[in-house]
Structure formats: structure tokens, C-alpha cells
Amino acid sequence: MNLVSELKFVPTTCPYCGTGCSFYLVVRDNKVLGIEPWHTPPINEGKLCQKGRYAHQFIHSKDRLSNPLVKRNGVFEEATWDEAYRLIAKRFGSFRPEEFGCLASAKASNEENYLMQKFARIVLKTNSVDHCARLCHSSTVSALSEVFGSGAMTNSILDLQESNCLFVIGSNTFEQHPLIGRRLMLARKMGAKIIYADPRRTPTARQADLYLSMYSGTDVALLNGLMHHIIENGWEDREFIESRTKGFDLLKKTVMNERYSLKSVSRLTGIPEIDLAKAAEWIAKSKPCALIYSMGITQHTVGVDNVKSVANLMMLTGNIGKRGSGVNPLRGQNNVQGACDMGCLPDVYSGYQKVADEDSREKMKLLWGVEEIAIGKGYTVTEMMNVLANEPGKIKCLYLMGENPMLSDPDLNHVRAALENIEFMVSQEIFLSETAEFADVVLPAACYAEKDGTHTNTERRVQRWRKAVDPPGMAKPDWLIICEMARLMGYGKCFSYKDESEIFDEIARATPSYHGMNYKRLEHPGALQWPCPDENHPGTQILHEKRFATKDGLGVFSAVEWQPPAEVTDPEYPLILTTGRCIWHWHTGTMTRRSKNLDSEVKTGWVEINSRDARDLNIDDRELVRVSSRRGSIEIPAMVTEEIKQGEVFIPFHFKECPANLLTNDAVDSIAKIPEYKACAVRIEKIGVMRE
Ligand code: SF4
């Protein structure tokens, strides 16, 4: 028997981070056997990080959901699709629009996210639809929309390697987006300098030419200090400022205050003055310079201010609209950009068309063929949790697609209290997650390898997923589940699609930046980056080349003052906790902890503590400790290290047995409503048991 001839190689895109690497799924007899390199797509050129390399291992896990489950007397029982749908339709029909909350998913496809917000807005008549972008990059969307007119990465992954200077702040790029890290190394080989600012000496810090070891929550102070030094030395780009921007005088007045002199900023951030001066000079003089950031910048109560400050620095030095420059937010999940683009946010339809704008509302009604559509303000996910916990009975029903707030949201005791107050909850999932356990009905969904679709990576590139195998048992793609439910609830005409490509055609009609895209054009490896306004348009690699997307075409400087985190240290809680990911695991671990090779590398969480703090607390490496905040306590092994700043500790948030988010603070940015995952006060106590 010739085994090789039976193999199928199905080209698709990685389900993990927002880099959007492509590969082949190797398939035989309806089983995914492995992953092989696909060399043609431009982003990763056949290379993968460890998560991508093993992205097939969870697909056929024995505990995949394969039947609808209905909870009876507190116990899940298998049900038919018909039973589950009828129960959902009956219960959904019993609530008022303001009593619903819907959560879409940054892991699902564009088509599925588009249908989720359409279902919320025309079947449930609610704008309370949100997703986990709220928790990672809502501050990027809010801030960059205001100052540039578009809330997305300005440049492309490929052109980062043409930079002469790469300023990485609040992004552990080499661990979280390794194939973007590769571009940084290629730039460095060509002579670019890398500056890295973070409280932890991560693998990214080890590749940097200049490491700025800063305290959590001092980003605006650092950025204003750099701008202070640049203006003081006359290194700003006068021509760019005069021809492309407005608001410079106010910015100058703010940053030239003595508060942002190098001496003051050094005291606030903990970074030596000499390093601040060097960083300012490199950023201003090594054109083009690109700034790369991620959740170290966004996940703060001042997340919007942080992003505006980042934009100020790049406009000040004329580093926008050119290859190798720009403001480059690295999106965490594979389709967090797409889920935002598709309108899974309470205030916008797809393409960021405002729900409050009457013309946009009429356009959507016409396109969807309905007389009625949701009106009024919807809740963000953080607001939903607060209302559920604090005002029982106001929100009664939650409909989730692939979201796991019981591990990913801040202050998990608060989330638990919120979920316990729900009258009726439906969860579409591939595994019975910590959150799905709270549901009344669980619907088994297809994973990325079991469906067609598109998703949009961090640089606005829309790429294809291609079906390689059938879903397990009775599981179905999320888009089909939504359409079948809509049909039962009387909206069959608005949810009648032959396949995913027909849904995408409607997305293209609804969404100006996707107008020129269709499945045929997206067949091309690497496909298209938005904006792509018509079918002859080649897509857009670099935004704001000649003008910004604001009404008058000018970029807007913002005067931003530094403010401390919502929770600072005191004698009871003397350390600052920051949270994040590790290279081997992904988000709440639902997929990576079921992947043999990834799980065998890192089996549980840890708390990183500086060796001087550990000595003061008499804590040894690998010793079990108790970490407590004002919200709760966890027990976790200590990792004693020089690689984190004294006074700071770090815990990865993947692990349910030692969940970092039991400790984090749910205080949010007043505009973007993003929680402050990156700074809360904790204390550590010795327990005295060694962990092997
Ligand atoms: Fe997947 Fe991101 Fe790794 Fe690429 S860098 S293989 S997209 S996890």
C-alpha cells in the first residue's frame, strides 16, 4: 500500500497568535496527522514557532465536545440539536433586548463573528455584543481611531525588517509573536538597533541593544521623558509636524514640564538617565524607526493615554507613513483584529461604522432586509460582568461563542459571582471550558481545522482557513449553528447562506475596507491587507502615507499626563504583580494544555520574583508560596530570578490550578473599559513546601 499517496496537504493558517503564519495540515482518513511547512506565504516563509508546529495536537482530543449538552437538575445531559435549539429559542424569546449579553470570539472566523453581531442586533435586538479585544487592545482601537482615524497597525510585518531602529515597549515579541521577532532579528542583522522597555528581562530583552528596565505603569512618564529630551535637543521632525499634524504646541507644553526631565523620569521609571538619553537619540536620529507594542501598553487604567503617547512619539519624529516605521500594536489572538473589524463591539457595525449614526443604521437595515434593528447603547464585557454581579436581574441571558471569562477576565471571584447570577446561558465551545460549566446549554463547535473561513491578522491581512477534516460527532461550525438558530427564531431569510464564501460576500458589501475582497482573491497565499476598497485594489501595506484617516487628514497630538496605576503598593501588599503568557501556552490553555509536546514542556504556572525580594522573604527557588491581593489568594511555585525588576512579580495566566486572574484588579480605563492586568498590589508568603 502506498501511504504517501493517501496523504492530503491542506493549506491553512495558525489558530494561535495574531502573526497569522500559514502551514499545511497533513491529513489521512479524516485525521490530522501533523503539520508541514508551507513556504509561499510571505509572513512566515515556512517557519513556525512551537505553538504553530504542534497546532494539530488538540484537534482529535478525546474530550472534544461532540454532542449538544443541556443542564437538567444541575447535571449536563446529551441532547439532540433539535432539543437544544428549541429550548434556546423558547428561552431567548422570553427576554427583553436589554437583558441580553453576547460574547463573540477572537478565535472564531470573520464570517462567524460577523454573524454573531448580526444575530445580536437583529434577532435579539441588542447592541450588547463584545469580545476579548476589550481585554487586550480596546485601548488601541479607541486611541488610534481618535489620533490617526484608524485603530489598526500602521505598517506591515515584512517592512519592520527595513527599520533602522525598533523600539519595543510592553511586548515580549520573541515569546508572544516569535515570527515577528524573526523580522526584528533580520533588521538587526542589517544594522538596526533594538530598544526594549519592560519590567522583565524577557527573551526579547536579551536580543536588545538597549534594555530599559522600568516599573510597571510608568509608560507615559517614560514616553513623555523621551519626547522632552528630543524636543530639548531640537531632534523633532519639524516638517512632518507642520505639514501632517495638529496639536503640537499643547503636547510640547506638557512634555517640557520639569516633571518629564530625564532626572524626574529616571526616578519615576527606575531607568538610568544615561539610558533614557540614549534611547531618545536613537529613536529620533535612526530613521526609519518603528515602535512595536502590545498588552504591556494597553492593559492599564490609562491604556488609552499610553497608546496616545506612543502615537505622539512616532509623529514627533516623523515616523508614520513610511516603510520600516509606524505604530505597530501586535494583536494577541489570531482573529482579534477581524472580530473588531466585523463589528463585535457594542458601538460599531463592521468596518467601525457607528451604531449611533442614523445613516449607518439605515444602511445595515437595508442590507440585512429588516425593519427593526437594535438601538441604544450596549454593554462592554467588563460592564456586563459588573452589572451581572452588582445589579442581579438586569442582564438575564448570556450567549457566548468560544470565550472563557472564568479564566481570562480580571478578579475571578467577581466573574464567578456574575456568572452565578445568570438566568440562562448558552455557550458554543470546542471543549467544556471553565466558563461553559456555568452554561444551561452547551453547543459543540468545529475547530479551525474543521471549517472554511477567513481571519485577519495583526497587520490587517485577511487569510483563509480551509477545512481539512470533519468535526467530531455532531459538532458544527459556529456560523451554521447561528444560522440554524436564527431560522428557528423566524429570521431564516436574513441568515440563508450556501457556504462561508457567501457570508464573506455580504461582509464585503457591508464593510468599506473589505469591499474589494472575495474568496477567489483570498486564495492567493498571503492574500490581501485592508483597506481594499475595490476589486482591482491590491490592498494596503502601509497606512497614512500621504494623509491620516481623520476628517481633515491630520494626525492629532494629545497632551497626556502620567498617572499612577489604580492600585499602588502599601505595607500590606508591597509588590506589584504583572501578568502575561509564556511561549509554550496560549491564553486560557484550552488548546495548548491538550497538546502533548507543549504541555510536556510547561505543566503548571509559577511566580517570578526578584532574588533580592526572595531573600528578604526567605523564599527559595521552586518553593511553594501563597500570593495574595485584595481579591484572593493562590498557591504557586516560586521562580527566583534576576530577570525581573525588584519590587515586581510576574505570573502567567494560562493555568486554572493557580489562576493569576484571581488576583488581578478589575479597575478599567474610563474610555476603552480595558482592565488593569499589568499592575496590582500583592504580597507573597512562604509556605515551606518544595516543588519538583
Ligand atoms: Fe502561530 Fe503565532 Fe507561532 Fe506564527 S508566531 S506559528 S501565528 S503562534
Side-chain angles (χ1 to χ4, degrees), residues 14 16-21 48-49 51-53 176-179:
C14 181
Y16 290 118
C17 88
T19 305
C21 300
L48 295 170
C49 78
K51 282 193 281 284
R53 177 72 190 82
Q176 305 314 330
H177 298 85
L179 270 295

Side-chain angles (χ1 to χ4, degrees), residues 645-684:
K645 206 165 175 64
Q646 194 173 5
E648 304 254 343
V649 295
F650 167 83
I651 303 177
F653 72 92
H654 316 292
F655 304 99
K656 63 181 175 188
E657 64 278 19
C658 44
N661 282 324
L662 203 70
L663 309 170
T664 47
N665 189 357
D666 67 352
V668 295
D669 181 287
S670 62
I671 297 164
K673 313 291 180 198
I674 191 168
E676 190 145 65
Y677 288 104
K678 298 299 186 204
C680 78
V682 296
R683 71 163 174 266
I684 298 193

Side-chain angles (χ1 to χ4, degrees), residues 353-366:
Q353 300 168 89
K354 297 262 183 232
V355 162
D357 177 59
E358 206 173 322
D359 288 346
S360 302
R361 261 202 323 270
E362 289 308 312
K363 174 183 160 181
M364 289 303 160
K365 276 161 70 175
L366 197 67

